Amino acid sequence: GDSVTQMEGPVTLSEEAFLTINCTYTATGYPSLFWYVQYPGEGLQLLLKATKADDKGSNKGFEATYRKETTSFHLEKGSVQVSDSAVYFCALQKAAGNKLTFGGGTRVLVKP
Amino acid sequence: GAVVSQHPSWVICKSGTSVKIECRSLDFQATTMFWYRQFPKQSLMLMATSNEGSKATYEQGVEKDKFLINHASLTLSTLTVTSAHPEDSSFYICSAPGTGDHEQYFGPGTRLTVT
């Protein structure tokens, strides 16, 4: 079946450091890929998405590129802030309106 | 953007009792809603897909008689945890697809604690 694997956390960084969270997937066909973020005490929010190969999703300084050849969708941010402390989930979706398959989540803690 | 609400946000119940959790799409209609379960510091696991006007589709390993899902209208789906046990304690999250391409909106979650 479909699956998403992302690096385990927690990831602890200093403010202004570079952040990378690796995500790889296994799926048939051409899924859409997502990064969701869950801030402490809040629900999941869509951070960015890419719906086809080589698409780059970006939002709030975060970027991820859909790499079909490596089945990856790594999340990056060049300079993190304390407010970026959250749990980040990589996910795939086979078709619009369908369920999401999530990775295990990566907790990121940014220290001042 | 579209908003999905859940009620209650947290609930404590005694073992053996039943608890109902509501998921509402506030400003859009949802013929489908998804129910997820999230254990502490773990990922979201899909429990079932709720379909308006028809039976829910449960994922493998999820007891349909224990987790009753009713999607009575285009804006409301309910999850009832019957005869709750401490191992049912978890964070339950619903989501609904929006009208946009691949958009999906999540409720804030309901924390259930069974004592």
Side-chain angles (χ1 to χ4, degrees), chain A residues 32 49 93 98-100 103, chain B residues 36 38 43 46 101-102 104:
Chain A
S32 294
K49 66 181 180 184
Q93 185 184 47
N98 279 15
K99 66 180 183 181
L100 289 161
Chain B
Y36 295 86
Q38 185 181 26
S43 188
L46 181 68
D101 184 32
H102 298 280
Q104 190 152 150

Side-chain angles (χ1 to χ4, degrees), chain A residues 32 34 36 38 41-46 49 51 87 89 93-105 107, chain B residues 32 34 36 38 40-46 49 59 91 93 95 97-98 100-109:
Chain A
S32 294
F34 304 83
Y36 281 85
Q38 186 177 35
E42 299 184 17
L44 268 73
Q45 302 173 27
L46 177 64
K49 66 181 180 184
T51 58
V87 181
F89 292 93
Q93 185 184 47
K94 295 295 283 288
N98 279 15
K99 66 180 183 181
L100 289 161
T101 300
F102 287 90
R107 185 175 299 275
Chain B
T32 300
F34 302 100
Y36 295 86
Q38 185 181 26
K41 299 184 179 180
Q42 294 188 32
S43 188
L44 283 76
M45 300 299 295
L46 181 68
T49 302
E59 296 298 299
F91 197 52
I93 302 171
S95 73
D101 184 32
H102 298 280
E103 286 293 340
Q104 190 152 150
Y105 300 97
F106 284 81

Side-chain angles (χ1 to χ4, degrees), chain A residues 2-111:
Chain A
D2 301 335
S3 65
V4 177
T5 302
Q6 60 183 105
M7 59 189 288
E8 289 189 24
V11 175
T12 303
L13 303 165
S14 296
E15 214 166 15
E16 299 184 359
F18 185 88
L19 170 68
T20 299
I21 304 176
N22 290 340
C23 170
T24 57
Y25 69 91
T26 300
T28 56
Y30 301 92
S32 294
L33 302 174
F34 304 83
W35 277 101
Y36 281 85
V37 58
Q38 186 177 35
Y39 297 105
E42 299 184 17
L44 268 73
Q45 302 173 27
L46 177 64
L47 181 59
L48 53 84
K49 66 181 180 184
T51 58
K52 61 183 187 294
D54 299 325
D55 267 3
K56 176 186 285 188
S58 61
N59 186 25
K60 299 181 180 180
F62 290 89
E63 291 184 341
T65 301
Y66 188 164
R67 302 287 189 197
K68 186 152 181 68
E69 63 275 14
T70 54
T71 62
S72 66
F73 193 54
H74 305 322
L75 182 68
E76 297 181 336
K77 184 172 185 179
S79 177
V80 293
Q81 304 300 312
V82 172
S83 57
D84 293 325
S85 298
V87 181
Y88 294 82
F89 292 93
C90 186
L92 69 81
Q93 185 184 47
K94 295 295 283 288
N98 279 15
K99 66 180 183 181
L100 289 161
T101 300
F102 287 90
T106 303
R107 185 175 299 275
V108 173
L109 176 61
V110 181
K111 295 185 175 180

Side-chain angles (χ1 to χ4, degrees), chain B residues 28-101:
Chain B
F28 67 105
Q29 294 181 336
T31 56
T32 300
M33 290 184 176
F34 302 100
W35 286 96
Y36 295 86
R37 184 173 178 176
Q38 185 181 26
F39 291 100
K41 299 184 179 180
Q42 294 188 32
S43 188
L44 283 76
M45 300 299 295
L46 181 68
M47 299 175 63
T49 302
S50 173
N51 303 299
E52 188 269 335
S54 64
K55 292 182 179 180
T57 304
Y58 290 83
E59 296 298 299
Q60 194 171 9
V62 177
E63 299 177 61
K64 59 182 66 178
D65 293 333
K66 179 169 185 62
F67 298 100
L68 301 179
I69 290 174
N70 182 28
H71 197 144
S73 76
L74 288 172
T75 59
L76 174 64
S77 175
T78 60
L79 168 66
T80 301
V81 182
T82 63
S83 187
H85 291 282
E87 57 264 32
D88 299 325
S89 299
S90 191
F91 197 52
Y92 293 87
I93 302 171
C94 69
S95 73
T99 54
D101 184 32

